[in-house]
Amino acid sequence: YFFLTLFLFFTNAWYLHSVPVTKVVSIDSLLKNSEKHWYSFPDSSIILAREALQLTDTLRDKRHYSKALTSLGTAYYMKGNYSIGLHYFFKALQLDESQNEKQSVASDLTNIGNVFMVQGNLEKAYDFFARSLDIKYALHDRTGTANTLLSIANLYIAQEKYDLALTHARQALSVYDSINDREGRVVIYT
């Protein structure tokens, strides 16, 4: 009887300890699948991201909560629901700033800038891109720096400021070349 009780105790202790790990793996899986569907099936992406958001809320996992907010924002952005996407991006930004997650803050700022650019609010878009670029420079995030420079180049194209667009595109290309990022170079040339 003693050994059976001991066995049940350790089995239950192990199970209770493993549940959060299982849920975190599940959250990562939900977020990964949500991301896979951003472009082709944004409605499915939204469902998966909402499930991840509920799980992260239950676990009080702020890092994954922010990722779920970003995934929701991106899915709504891809659907063309820019105001809802913006709402989720701002929520992610607020959370990431409170956690001092600088890399995530920079990404959030870029996402917000992209929404403002699509909505035609080019001044606001530039402000968010510039803030993102400052952080990416400070973090020595060269891929992020190049991507943001390219976003700024696209913004200048929208404003028909082609000289500034070309300058920023060349800067992005230079960074892509320095890190041998072939995908980045392809994006510049397309």
Side-chain angles (χ1 to χ4, degrees):
Y1 184 77
F2 172 76
F3 290 111
L4 179 61
T5 305
L6 194 59
F7 173 76
L8 290 174
F9 173 78
F10 283 112
T11 304
N12 283 336
W14 174 82
Y15 174 76
L16 291 174
H17 186 328
S18 69
V19 169
V21 172
T22 305
K23 285 187 178 181
V24 168
V25 171
S26 178
I27 292 167
D28 286 335
S29 177
L30 287 167
L31 291 173
K32 187 175 278 190
N33 284 319
S34 175
E35 183 178 342
K36 284 180 187 177
H37 296 301
W38 283 342
Y39 303 103
S40 52
F41 302 105
D43 288 323
S44 296
S45 179
I46 289 166
I47 291 167
L48 294 165
R50 282 188 178 152
E51 277 188 56
L53 194 65
Q54 288 174 340
L55 269 174
T56 58
D57 190 40
T58 301
L59 295 173
R60 301 186 193 282
D61 179 349
K62 291 182 180 180
R63 185 174 63 86
H64 283 97
Y65 193 83
S66 173
K67 288 180 179 185
L69 290 169
T70 299
S71 192
L72 276 167
T74 304
Y76 278 109
Y77 174 87
M78 297 310 295
K79 272 188 74 155
N81 293 343
Y82 303 121
S83 60
I84 297 172
L86 194 60
H87 166 77
Y88 284 111
F89 289 144
F90 269 115
K91 285 181 80 166
L93 175 63
Q94 183 180 18
L95 181 58
D96 290 333
E97 285 177 333
S98 75
Q99 299 297 304
N100 201 28
E101 294 284 344
K102 293 182 184 199
Q103 186 69 43
S104 296
V105 167
S107 294
D108 297 334
L109 292 168
T110 299
N111 289 334
I112 292 167
N114 284 328
V115 174
F116 282 131
M117 186 166 67
V118 169
Q119 290 179 326
N121 193 338
L122 303 181
E123 286 181 32
K124 268 191 169 180
Y126 180 82
D127 291 342
F128 282 92
F129 289 148
R131 286 174 56 197
S132 175
L133 189 60
D134 288 344
I135 294 169
K136 289 175 181 178
Y137 274 139
L139 294 175
H140 305 287
D141 175 4
R142 297 189 318 180
T143 300
T145 295
N147 292 342
T148 305
L149 285 167
L150 190 55
S151 292
I152 293 170
N154 288 328
L155 180 123
Y156 283 131
I157 289 170
Q159 293 176 323
E160 298 181 2
K161 296 179 180 179
Y162 301 114
D163 290 341
L164 288 171
L166 186 59
T167 299
H168 284 80
R170 284 182 177 152
Q171 288 174 348
L173 180 60
S174 174
V175 176
Y176 287 136
D177 284 340
S178 74
I179 58 176
N180 199 26
D181 185 335
R182 292 179 185 189
E183 288 178 27
R185 286 185 282 193
V186 168
V187 170
I188 295 254
Y189 288 116
T190 54

